[in-house]
Amino acid sequence: MPKLGKVGSDHALGVLTDESCVGPTWSVALPGPLPRLFSYCVPDGARPAPGVRIRVPFGRGQRVGVLWAPVLAEPGLALKCIDSQLDATPLLDTALLDCIAWAASYYHYPLGEAVLAAFPPALRKGGLLSRPGLRLTETGGEALLAEAVRGSRQRQLLQMLSAHPPGVAESELTQFAHAVRQSVLVKEWVERVALPLATGSFQNPAVEPASPKPLNAAQQSAVAAVAADWARFQVWLLDGVTGSGKTEVYLSLIEQVTSAGKQVLVLVPEIALTPQLVARFAAHLRVALVVLHSGLSDSDRLQGWIAAQSGTALVVIGTRSAAFQPFANLGLVIVDEEHDPSLKQNEGFGFHARDVAIWRARSLNIPIILGSATPALESLRNLQLNRYRGLSLPERAGGARLPVISPVDVRGQRMSGGLSVTLIEAVEQHLLAGGQVLLYLNRRGYAPSLLCHACGWVAACLHCDAFMTWHRQSHLLKCHHCGHERAVPSSCPDCQTTLSPRGLGTEQLEDVLAGLFPDFGIERLDRDVLGRKGELDRRLARIRSGAARLIVGTQILVKGHDFPEVSLVGVVDADQGLFANDFRGSERFAQQLIQVAGRAGRADRLGTVLVQTHHPDHPGLNLLLRRGYGFFAAQLLQERLEAGLPPMRSSALIRADGPDAAPPQGLLETMANGLSTDEWVGLSVWGPVEAPLARRAGRFRYQLLLLAEDRGLLHDALNHLDEWIGTRRLSGVRWSIDVDPLDMA
């Protein structure tokens, strides 16, 4: 595998035809696996521009693409002509197109696929931003005034159009027969027009905004620092303890930006966070805002997209895909919970929304704020290197105190459904004192496995190297890796003995608590119960009303929810996070522990956090509990430096899988051998090795990790691999590149 030069993604392939097409030649970004642009002819008389959607012939069908740039036509090369231009003006501006081009190149993803990330589903499919309508002409108005319209239905139609001078959509005129509409068009009383789509999904609170909470000294200092430097790009890392009032800082800055007529993008990691954030923003801001996430209908997403792109909505709250949302006049970007791995897309277009947002802010020369109580190590490293500027909120707002976090040594203790006597007594004490209790267990289902105590049979997934989780309420065994489900056997398939659950899940924990504390309402928050629309809001309402005094959940609980009456948080099993199987496990465990602990003691109640563990002397756990996340993260950074791991070196993970083990392993071995030569000095190649989950959905999985201090060298190697494999078809083998990977599984 010799070393090859880098191939630019701006190279255009000509799409040939037997028929000649007269007009300029343009490169077009089309969806598909090839990381290239395609050349098409644009008819004379059209008004092409970068960022305009078009429909083009491709193969035996048609595809929707985006005009990229004019190119020189090759002499004697006859190109296919575009079928239609879908937009009169560009939907994506030059700055956003540059951002998409950078993201496609950086994350080694086909440009045509990447550009689609900037559009809602309706526009990706070729939907229009206008709808056909009819408008009254001057001639028609005169005929109406002169009472020269004899037909009653024609007269009613003209009267309706007269009441709406811009025109009325034809879809709203179906009460008039086609013949009636056609007759007034022939008489030139009416003309056809293209009407813009309505943008009704944005919210503009009609109520008087709530009075903002007064800012404390640290909050005022943070607001003043950012506001003093509006006119240029700067990344601000807002490091505030849980409950320190980061949202109030956001609101104060947003008010200043929107009062100047500029827009604000607020990125959040999870859909579950948007309802409460929207409610708080709507209560304090008198501006139009929209929400963008995958849980919306196609129509709502399109209307919200239009409102942001046109500048109608001044505030946009969205999940990671909103990082590519076009704006009319963006003035500030905020990334809330910037450490959360949900901001990174793990499959397909593996972009990190935080890093894309930083690139956009730099290109627009505007500030960006990264907020977190537990900043990512990458962000802390950039702070060390003076690439970011730090803002600190070291105390809770309103005088509330940080909770006291204590380990509970469960060695030798009698356990009831995974709960120690110490934790059960604490739960009872806090419930009787009128508080709420939150128990955190990052494992859904009733039990992680179902086994036979007599012969050792375990319910394993037929398609993955993993056990199946028992979900008792749905009477199913489910694989949480491939989604396979099957009925629970009535007895052991091998020896017909009664089966026993092993381990603890949130479903079982809910049952245990109901038995121990039958007089207190319980709400469970995990993916299994939050599938239906509005279910999260309903359960949160019960919690906030006090109808549910016990809260059980997975990591959904650590995502920034505010439970003012929670006085006790119990971490049921800290050990599963202490001994993770990848190098980011300690960082992730610390972030989740500090975040969930921060749910306690938000109001005037003193918070208590109890952490159950069989390893109370674990040095990392003790450092975290004694000195806090800042010291713990500093120690992790030192360990990463000594080990040569991210963020001290740039990384990329190459994954390959297939129905048999040998082909994907062989492909990665060939790649590793080709990169382990004198031509690639400075590049570390680790592997290939089996993935931690070696078989998933019936496919054998291997991975190859590349590390380099020089980011450019790493990307040269990835470009080299892209070019080397080219269009080779490897029977049954899939491979992908994950740049800056967060999930090593």
Side-chain angles (χ1 to χ4, degrees):
M1 189 172 67
K3 186 172 181 179
L4 299 170
K6 179 180 179 181
V7 177
S9 62
D10 57 346
H11 176 66
L13 294 179
V15 181
L16 304 179
T17 181
D18 293 332
E19 301 176 1
S20 62
C21 178
V22 178
T25 302
W26 276 70
S27 58
V28 176
L30 291 176
L34 293 177
R36 302 175 187 272
L37 298 169
F38 297 84
S39 292
Y40 281 86
C41 178
V42 177
D44 282 334
R47 296 182 178 179
V52 166
R53 290 176 308 135
I54 57 172
R55 194 183 300 276
V56 300
F58 192 89
R60 296 181 179 178
Q62 289 184 323
R63 292 190 185 181
V64 174
V66 174
L67 287 176
W68 200 258
V71 294
L72 293 175
E74 295 184 31
L77 186 66
L79 298 175
K80 284 186 178 181
C81 190
I82 69 170
D83 285 337
S84 59
Q85 182 170 321
L86 302 177
D87 311 308
T89 57
L91 300 188
L92 310 178
D93 59 32
T94 302
L96 182 52
L97 290 174
D98 288 344
C99 177
I100 294 168
W102 166 81
S105 174
Y106 184 83
Y107 293 106
H108 296 265
Y109 197 67
L111 179 59
E113 291 286 341
V115 76
L116 293 180
F119 294 112
L123 296 184
R124 295 176 204 164
K125 300 171 186 174
L128 300 178
L129 285 179
S130 62
R131 50 187 177 162
L134 299 179
R135 181 172 62 194
L136 187 69
T137 64
E138 186 177 345
T139 303
E142 292 172 354
L144 195 59
L145 287 173
E147 298 184 354
V149 184
R150 294 183 180 181
S152 62
R153 295 298 287 165
Q154 292 180 359
R155 186 168 54 254
Q156 291 170 7
L157 173 56
L158 296 188
Q159 288 172 342
M160 183 176 180
L161 295 178
S162 177
H164 300 87
V168 177
E170 288 197 68
S171 61
E172 299 173 12
L173 298 173
T174 54
Q175 70 268 37
F176 299 100
H178 175 74
V180 174
R181 285 177 275 159
Q182 192 62 31
S183 65
V184 294
L185 281 166
V186 170
K187 295 174 182 178
E188 297 184 350
W189 290 343
V190 166
E191 62 184 353
R192 295 191 184 278
V193 292
L195 299 173
L197 292 177
T199 56
S201 66
F202 61 88
Q203 304 175 31
N204 196 356
V207 297
E208 193 70 24
S211 300
K213 297 179 181 178
L215 302 182
N216 59 31
Q219 291 170 322
Q220 291 176 12
S221 177
V223 170
V226 178
D229 211 5
W230 280 130
R232 71 183 184 93
F233 164 72
Q234 178 62 59
V235 183
W236 297 92
L237 181 60
L238 180 61
D239 185 353
V241 299
T242 53
S244 59
K246 291 185 288 293
T247 302
E248 279 66 39
V249 173
Y250 300 158
L251 287 168
S252 180
L253 291 169
I254 290 171
E255 285 180 332
Q256 295 185 46
V257 174
T258 55
S259 64
K262 295 186 176 182
Q263 295 171 283
V264 179
L265 169 62
V266 182
L267 289 174
V268 295
E270 292 278 1
I271 295 173
L273 286 180
T274 56
Q276 62 178 15
L277 205 59
V278 169
R280 293 188 68 179
F281 278 31
H284 290 85
L285 301 171
R286 190 190 287 274
V287 296
L289 62 90
V290 295
V291 179
L292 295 174
H293 57 68
S294 60
L296 300 173
S297 67
D298 284 359
S299 175
D300 286 344
R301 289 182 73 179
L302 176 60
Q303 292 187 359
W305 189 94
I306 295 171
Q309 191 254 6
S310 65
T312 305
L314 291 183
V315 177
V316 173
I317 303 173
T319 50
R320 60 177 177 251
S321 61
F324 293 106
Q325 167 66 41
F327 289 88
N329 189 15
L330 189 59
L332 174 67
V333 180
I334 297 170
V335 183
D336 193 31
E337 308 294 348
E338 66 86 29
H339 67 278
D340 197 298
S342 297
L343 289 167
K344 174 78 159 68
Q345 188 156 295
N346 290 321
E347 295 184 355
F349 188 13
F351 69 93
H352 198 303
R354 177 196 62 209
D355 298 339
V356 171
I358 291 172
W359 201 98
R360 288 192 73 180
R362 180 187 290 111
S363 70
L364 296 172
N365 201 30
I366 61 174
I368 178 171
I369 301 169
L370 313 180
S372 177
T374 54
L377 294 192
E378 286 78 9
S379 297
L380 293 173
R381 178 59 175 166
N382 281 319
L383 192 64
Q384 288 181 348
L385 297 173
N386 295 319
R387 294 171 181 164
Y388 296 176
R389 292 175 64 182
L391 302 168
S392 179
L393 301 178
E395 298 179 353
R396 286 190 156 181
R401 288 177 288 174
L402 287 169
V404 177
I405 308 178
S406 304
V408 175
D409 184 358
V410 297
R411 291 175 298 183
Q413 281 208 39
R414 180 173 57 84
M415 308 290 282
S416 298
L419 303 179
S420 64
V421 174
T422 303
L423 183 54
I424 292 173
E425 290 176 349
V427 171
E428 182 178 27
Q429 176 187 345
H430 282 260
L431 290 175
L432 294 176
Q436 287 180 315
V437 174
L438 186 156
L439 295 180
Y440 170 67
L441 176 64
N442 198 25
R443 192 184 291 122
R444 58 193 176 97
Y446 191 86
S449 62
L450 195 62
L451 61 80
C452 175
H453 188 61
C455 72
W457 178 90
V458 183
C461 179
L462 301 176
H463 312 287
C464 305
D465 290 340
F467 297 139
M468 300 192 79
T469 300
W470 179 28
H471 290 253
R472 195 172 74 169
Q473 290 182 358
S474 59
H475 309 289
L476 289 172
L477 291 171
K478 298 182 181 181
C479 177
H480 290 175
H481 300 284
C482 72
H484 176 67
E485 299 179 356
R486 70 174 191 258
V488 180
S490 58
S491 60
C492 174
D494 289 349
C495 70
Q496 287 69 55
T497 305
T498 301
L499 296 172
S500 305
R502 285 295 182 269
L504 182 69
T506 51
E507 198 177 302
Q508 184 181 167
L509 184 58
E510 181 182 25
D511 284 354
V512 170
L513 290 170
L516 291 171
F517 305 102
D519 299 327
F520 300 93
I522 302 175
E523 278 295 351
R524 174 160 59 96
L525 298 180
D526 59 31
R527 199 186 310 167
D528 294 326
V529 297
L530 299 181
R532 288 182 298 178
K533 187 175 182 179
E535 188 65 19
L536 175 63
D537 291 340
R538 188 190 69 78
R539 290 177 181 255
L540 290 177
R542 283 198 73 231
I543 292 170
R544 293 189 177 114
S545 71
R549 300 276 300 284
L550 283 159
I551 309 163
V552 176
T554 58
Q555 58 183 312
I556 289 176
L557 293 174
V558 312
K559 304 284 186 178
H561 295 293
D562 186 15
F563 303 121
E565 299 304 314
V566 168
S567 56
L568 172 66
V569 167
V571 178
V572 176
D573 183 8
D575 296 342
Q576 63 172 316
L578 284 176
F579 302 99
N581 59 3
D582 77 69
F583 68 89
R584 296 187 188 275
S586 297
E587 176 187 4
R588 204 165 292 135
F589 164 74
Q591 290 167 341
Q592 291 178 355
L593 177 58
I594 296 301
Q595 291 283 345
V596 75
R599 305 311 110 195
R602 286 295 189 101
D604 55 356
R605 296 179 181 273
L606 179 62
T608 300
V609 180
L610 298 179
V611 182
Q612 292 192 153
T613 177
H614 288 88
H615 304 275
D617 300 323
H618 188 283
L621 179 63
N622 276 275
L623 179 64
L624 180 64
L625 299 186
R626 290 198 321 268
R627 305 295 297 274
Y629 180 78
F631 281 93
F632 182 83
Q635 178 65 36
L636 285 185
L637 281 172
Q638 182 59 37
E639 292 175 3
R640 301 276 183 91
L641 176 64
E642 294 171 358
L645 290 169
M648 303 308 176
R649 291 202 289 177
S650 298
S651 65
L653 189 68
I654 304 174
R655 297 184 176 93
D657 63 73
D660 298 305
Q665 183 182 20
L667 172 65
L668 295 187
E669 284 177 349
T670 302
M671 290 181 176
N673 292 335
L675 295 175
S676 301
T677 65
D678 293 341
E679 296 176 276
W680 298 101
V681 174
L683 184 71
S684 295
V685 182
W686 293 7
V689 296
E690 285 188 336
L693 183 64
R695 187 172 63 102
R696 184 172 68 185
R699 299 180 69 87
F700 293 87
R701 308 166 69 239
Y702 287 83
Q703 54 193 35
L704 183 70
L705 182 64
L706 306 183
L707 296 159
E709 292 184 14
D710 182 348
R711 190 181 298 272
L713 175 65
L714 176 68
H715 285 279
D716 282 346
L718 296 176
N719 287 325
H720 174 52
L721 294 178
D722 268 333
E723 176 61 22
W724 170 75
I725 200 166
T727 57
R728 287 182 177 88
R729 292 189 177 182
L730 305 171
S731 180
V733 177
R734 301 179 305 202
W735 76 288
S736 62
I737 296 173
D738 187 1
V739 178
D740 302 333
L742 296 183
D743 182 5
M744 306 297 289

